[in-house]
Amino acid sequence: MPRKKASKSSIWATSLIFFVLIAGTIFLIKYGKGIKREFSDHTRKTPVWTETEKFERVFTEFPDGILGVDISQYQGKIDFNKLTLQLQDRPVQFLVFRATMGHNGVDRRFFENWEASKNLPVAQGAYHYYRPNENSTHQAENYIKTVELKSGNLIPILDIEKHSTIQSKDRLREGIKNWLNLVESHFGVKPMIYTGDRFFWEILHNQGFDHYPIWVANYNHILEPETKNWVIWQFSEKGSIEGIGERIDLNILRGGRFQFHKLKMPE
């Protein structure tokens, strides 16, 4: 078919587009470096602290904070003879070990770590890693039959940080509440919940969990997690102490000795 002649309007449109492209190119050449420099200056304002600096800032913000460490089989075999319960100028005052996972999993180093740490000058704690696609009653039973808590140990701890892929958020909440209720009935104390900042807001906030002690994980360079009612803040996953070959999680318990006492099993 024969081509149509270009109309005056299409010629003007083409000319306008060409002019805009030329003008944009000139603008970028002239001012692009300045924009890039301003952007770089802006991003440099975001604090980028070393782990040492972050540690210092956290304990400056919460001077009565108590330092604790949590450990699982992923830290490997711990040399308890060389274990240094000190980080910078802060003593490590609680050790929390992963005990169980899901409906039948047991951390392969739990019993070894639990027994070896009994005589250390720290409060021991044991947590259950909740698998959201598994039966909550069986998960509670797994923790109950594995963990024996006595006076001075930390209260039971539930680690919940994953969404379910087979059930709704409401059903997931029901399962979490079921685990908490069964464990509370057995040990006689309200458990503590460990979770991530985002997960707390998406699943737990204003859903009947706010009255539980909250242990929140947030490793960002911030002065405090968004979850304001936390009692323990896991602020780093890059800690290191002698006797443990792998990186460890660092936690601060705020509220001093009074809050520390409230998180322990009664006499």
Side-chain angles (χ1 to χ4, degrees):
M1 296 177 66
R3 294 185 178 181
K4 295 181 181 179
K5 292 184 179 180
S7 65
K8 290 184 179 180
S9 59
S10 63
I11 293 174
W12 275 106
T14 302
S15 301
L16 179 61
I17 293 172
F18 180 76
F19 174 78
V20 170
L21 289 174
I22 294 297
T25 302
I26 294 172
F27 179 85
L28 288 174
I29 292 173
K30 188 173 182 179
Y31 300 105
K33 291 183 179 180
I35 294 172
K36 183 178 181 180
R37 183 169 55 254
E38 284 187 20
F39 179 77
S40 299
D41 291 342
H42 174 73
T43 56
R44 278 198 292 269
K45 293 177 183 178
T46 302
V48 180
W49 305 325
T50 65
E51 288 302 303
T52 299
E53 290 170 337
K54 185 172 185 181
F55 185 96
E56 292 173 349
R57 289 182 67 91
V58 167
F59 280 97
T60 298
E61 184 73 11
F62 304 100
D64 63 347
I66 293 173
L67 178 63
V69 170
D70 60 281
I71 296 166
S72 73
Q73 64 190 35
Y74 300 115
Q75 272 67 50
K77 184 173 179 61
I78 298 173
D79 188 342
F80 283 93
N81 293 322
K82 294 183 178 180
L83 187 62
T84 303
L85 296 173
Q86 184 84 18
L87 191 57
Q88 297 187 39
D89 61 341
R90 294 278 175 170
V92 175
Q93 297 187 58
F94 62 94
L95 290 177
V96 181
F97 303 101
R98 185 177 69 166
T100 50
M101 310 88 74
H103 73 277
N104 64 356
V106 177
D107 189 287
R108 66 173 178 267
R109 295 199 179 275
F110 171 66
F111 292 112
E112 172 188 347
N113 289 336
W114 190 259
E115 190 63 31
S117 61
K118 278 185 175 180
N119 295 323
L120 296 177
V122 296
Q124 293 175 298
Y127 74 89
H128 173 81
Y129 182 82
Y130 192 88
R131 290 177 174 160
N133 293 341
E134 297 183 11
N135 182 276
S136 59
T137 297
H138 294 163
Q139 294 198 61
E141 291 170 347
N142 185 24
Y143 183 83
I144 288 168
K145 73 180 182 181
T146 303
V147 176
E148 181 179 350
L149 298 175
K150 63 179 183 180
S151 175
N153 293 149
L154 295 183
I155 58 178
I157 302 164
L158 176 64
D159 177 345
I160 172 66
E161 50 191 281
K162 298 290 185 181
H163 292 268
S164 175
T165 59
I166 62 174
Q167 58 184 330
S168 67
K169 290 181 180 180
D170 286 337
R171 290 297 301 274
L172 174 59
R173 294 185 187 103
E174 290 176 10
I176 296 171
K177 289 177 181 178
N178 182 51
W179 190 98
L180 293 168
N181 290 335
L182 291 172
V183 169
E184 180 176 355
S185 177
H186 176 81
F187 290 99
V189 293
K190 191 177 294 296
M192 176 163 37
I193 299 175
Y194 167 94
T195 190
D197 228 351
R198 178 175 296 181
F199 189 92
F200 176 84
W201 288 101
E202 291 178 349
I203 301 296
L204 305 180
H205 182 55
N206 287 338
Q207 298 293 331
F209 300 97
D210 297 81
H211 60 290
Y212 288 92
I214 301 297
W215 177 356
V216 64
N218 191 318
Y219 310 135
N220 294 332
H221 293 98
I222 55 178
L223 289 181
E224 186 176 350
E226 292 182 20
T227 306
K228 299 303 181 184
N229 61 332
W230 60 271
V231 294
I232 300 179
W233 171 18
Q234 187 177 96
F235 62 89
S236 175
E237 58 182 345
K238 298 180 180 179
S240 178
I241 58 176
E242 188 174 353
I244 303 178
E246 302 295 331
R247 294 292 186 181
I248 53 175
D249 298 327
L250 301 180
N251 308 274
I252 181 173
L253 185 155
R254 68 174 173 179
R257 309 303 302 180
F258 176 73
Q259 183 63 63
F260 197 19
H261 179 74
K262 288 174 61 178
L263 295 181
K264 293 180 180 179
M265 295 290 293
E267 297 181 0

